[in-house]
Amino acid sequence: MTRRGFLKAVGAGAAWIAVTNALGCEPVERSSEKAPATPGSSEAGSTPSRPKDVLAFRSRPDLSPPGVRVATPARDTAPGYVFAAPKTGPGYEGAVQNGPMIVDNDGQMVWFRSVRGEDARAMDLKVQRYRGEPVLTYYEGVGTTYGRGEYVILDSSYREVARVRAGNGYAGDHHEFLITREDTALITIYSPVRWDLSSIEGPQDGIVLDGIAQEVDIATGEVLLEWHSLDHVGIDETYRPVPEEAGENFDYFHINSIEVDSDDNLLVSARTTFTIYKIDRQTGEILWRLGGKRSDFRMGPGTWMRYQHDARRQPGGAITVFDNGGVQKDDKSYGLVVDLDEDEMKATLAREYGEPDGRVAAVMGSMQVLPNGNAFLGWGSLPLFSEFSEAGELLFSAGFPPEVNSYRAFRFPWSGQPEDDPVVAAEPGPAPDEVTVYASWNGATEVASWQALAGPGPGLLKPVGPVTDREGFETAVTVRTTGPYVGVQARDGSGGVLGASKAVKI
């Protein structure tokens, strides 16, 4: 059967049923202890009306992302920035905005785009390749445990080049958006289906969430492949208890990652069966199971996973996975590197990376092997991300305030050249001719310094004061001028002008 012919539409018209109080991918209650103030937060001299740990910028008053606190300063880390998508937990009433975010090793923001709308969230920000070019991708939509939304692709100027939607009448979910080498997208879907649960002591008219892996042609929207967990994985494989309340969704599978294996077949991670499935891309049949109740591998010490996320095949053949661990069993969560002997069907633990503070990340999480061999971990419901050497030494760790978390976190090289101009704000100083100029350029990665400009009119600005090194997202420059208008030029490391702001009146 061809990929295009392998389509299923069962349950496509089923209504979405809200899920509440489900152990899925929502954060559990955490400590209310506040992190120290982050530069740019209200405790560090920004707008006093802002809550703690929320950044404020004079040149961009429309942005109020969460601050980032660096716990372990970076050393020997791989090149690149940190990519996350901070979101607030249920019931949070602060002013912090949700949205995709890039930060540097100092915790300074490089780029942020707020997600508008009630309950709107962005998740899974990362760098991928589309049509041969590096792009930013993320999920945007509503929903908490299960998403209902779309997938956004931005170019290096942060312009939207594509927006991908699930096909066959389904709504896309936030757990996966993977662009393949053929410029198709692999996405996850949750579909409620009426199902007889009497075989596991549940109701005959229960509601099961079917975990769906769908492949969509990005350019045309055509569905190329659709795999349904209920067609291939029995409900008895789950470790999740049957819901006690009638009509509650039974999330027996909880699909949370899709990977293209080295032979073009698929690897699918299912959180609530504790299993990674290898799936024949042509027939949909399961080729093997790693972990869970029906593992085809002999699982060596340390290889058993619980509530895992983000299963990936590495070039050498190993499988990496974020092992959340049993909430009431394990002492902490781990990133695992598991060697597979597919001839002897044996799994062996190669390396593990433990949560730095010895805690369990109950939900969410990611593990990325970097080009230099380091491992980058996003700790999900724990508002933390870390980088380790291949040998396990902690090289960097930082995180968001306690009320904020990120589904995944990554490190990638990135060069951003925004299509809009730098922006500037100005405030008069205590002296008659003194002005403080605040300059920023959201997403510009090549800015090394700023040159303040001033003059009698918008078209009559000239450089004033020395060139000032860039200091984080927003740089303050104090100059002396009698001109009523000011502006800035952004300059690269060689002193070349990258862009100039519009003039503003003091």
Side-chain angles (χ1 to χ4, degrees):
M1 182 179 296
T2 65
R3 286 168 59 188
R4 292 179 185 271
F6 184 56
L7 302 178
K8 297 283 288 182
V10 176
W16 184 268
I17 300 174
V19 182
T20 57
N21 298 322
L23 179 58
C25 282
E26 266 305 282
V28 294
E29 184 176 346
R30 296 192 297 270
S31 169
S32 61
E33 182 182 355
K34 282 283 187 180
T38 304
S41 71
S42 60
E43 288 188 336
S46 295
T47 309
S49 61
R50 298 294 180 101
K52 293 180 180 180
D53 299 306
V54 180
L55 303 184
F57 306 104
R58 288 169 174 83
S59 59
R60 290 298 303 266
D62 57 316
L63 300 181
S64 54
V68 172
R69 179 178 66 91
V70 176
T72 302
R75 61 180 180 84
D76 300 325
T77 57
Y81 298 104
V82 176
F83 293 73
K87 61 184 182 66
T88 53
Y92 181 71
E93 297 180 354
V96 66
Q97 294 171 334
N98 297 321
M101 186 175 184
I102 304 173
V103 299
D104 64 19
N105 280 350
D106 295 323
Q108 293 289 330
M109 190 177 83
V110 175
W111 175 78
F112 178 74
R113 176 172 292 183
S114 65
V115 178
R116 308 290 182 180
E118 186 176 359
D119 297 326
R121 297 176 180 221
M123 302 178 76
D124 196 22
L125 175 69
K126 55 181 176 275
V127 177
Q128 302 194 68
R129 297 192 75 85
Y130 178 57
R131 294 179 172 175
E133 298 295 331
V135 292
L136 287 183
T137 68
Y138 60 93
Y139 162 89
E140 182 177 283
V142 297
T144 53
T145 306
Y146 319 105
R148 303 183 299 283
E150 303 168 345
Y151 310 92
V152 182
I153 303 177
L154 306 179
D155 66 13
S156 59
S157 295
Y158 307 97
R159 295 173 297 211
E160 185 174 311
V161 297
R163 187 172 284 258
V164 182
R165 298 171 178 84
N168 291 343
Y170 291 110
D173 168 72
H174 63 255
H175 284 90
E176 187 65 274
F177 176 47
L178 181 70
I179 298 178
T180 71
R181 293 179 180 177
E182 293 75 30
D183 289 334
T184 66
L186 287 164
I187 62 175
T188 51
I189 297 167
Y190 287 72
S191 174
V193 178
R194 290 287 178 183
W195 205 262
D196 184 357
L197 301 178
S198 57
S199 63
I200 54 173
E201 300 182 357
Q204 290 185 339
D205 61 344
I207 302 172
V208 173
L209 288 177
D210 188 12
I212 301 174
Q214 190 178 87
E215 184 175 17
V216 179
D217 186 284
I218 293 175
T220 67
E222 179 185 2
V223 176
L224 306 176
L225 176 149
E226 194 167 291
W227 181 88
H228 292 247
S229 65
L230 285 172
D231 291 342
H232 302 280
V233 179
I235 58 175
D236 59 339
E237 289 193 36
T238 192
Y239 286 88
R240 191 187 189 100
V242 179
E244 297 181 357
E245 297 185 12
E248 183 179 342
N249 289 345
F250 182 38
D251 186 11
Y252 90 107
F253 192 75
H254 199 94
I255 184 172
N256 61 22
S257 73
I258 310 171
E259 170 79 345
V260 180
D261 205 353
S262 54
D263 59 4
D264 203 42
N265 291 311
L266 301 181
L267 298 176
V268 168
S269 168
R271 171 177 165 84
T272 49
T273 65
F274 300 176
T275 305
I276 298 167
Y277 299 85
K278 180 162 182 172
I279 297 166
D280 188 301
R281 196 163 189 166
Q282 304 301 317
T283 68
E285 296 303 311
I286 294 174
L287 300 175
W288 50 246
R289 292 166 168 83
L290 175 66
K293 296 179 180 179
R294 296 179 55 189
S295 180
D296 293 301
F297 289 84
R298 298 194 311 275
M299 306 296 289
T303 63
W304 284 102
M305 303 163 290
R306 287 164 291 278
Y307 302 106
Q308 82 286 338
H309 285 77
D310 202 25
R312 306 293 168 190
R313 177 78 79 169
Q314 300 304 316
I319 297 286
T320 57
V321 65
F322 183 86
D323 180 17
N324 293 79
V327 176
Q328 297 178 346
K329 180 178 180 180
D330 297 329
D331 59 350
K332 58 178 150 180
S333 297
Y334 293 93
L336 303 181
V337 181
V338 180
D339 286 335
L340 297 186
D341 185 334
E342 296 188 49
D343 294 324
E344 299 295 329
M345 298 304 287
K346 181 179 179 181
T348 305
L349 180 66
R351 290 180 298 282
E352 66 179 20
Y353 304 92
E355 199 282 324
D357 295 326
R359 297 175 294 176
V360 170
V363 294
M364 305 183 287
S366 59
M367 178 177 176
Q368 176 192 18
V369 176
L370 299 168
N372 68 349
N374 289 357
F376 196 88
L377 279 293
W379 298 100
S381 54
L382 301 175
L384 188 70
F385 38 85
S386 309
E387 185 168 336
F388 297 84
S389 71
E390 187 173 1
E393 183 182 5
L394 182 63
L395 304 176
F396 169 72
S397 190
F400 296 110
E403 299 87 353
V404 180
N405 57 60
S406 181
Y407 166 52
R408 289 171 172 170
F410 304 98
R411 183 186 291 283
F412 294 104
W414 177 250
S415 178
Q417 303 89 31
E419 65 174 345
D420 57 356
D421 296 324
V423 292
V424 64
E427 295 178 355
D433 60 347
E434 187 176 84
V435 177
T436 301
V437 176
Y438 299 91
S440 66
W441 200 1
N442 191 19
T445 59
E446 308 308 311
V447 178
S449 60
W450 293 98
Q451 173 64 66
L453 309 171
L460 301 172
L461 302 186
K462 295 182 179 181
V464 292
V467 174
T468 302
D469 289 343
R470 177 187 177 274
E471 296 180 356
F473 181 81
E474 182 177 78
T475 301
V477 182
T478 300
V479 298
R480 293 186 177 275
T481 178
T482 57
Y485 288 90
V486 295
V488 290
Q489 290 176 341
R491 299 195 175 189
D492 61 21
S494 300
V497 177
L498 297 170
S501 71
K502 294 180 174 60
V504 298
K505 195 171 185 178
I506 301 170

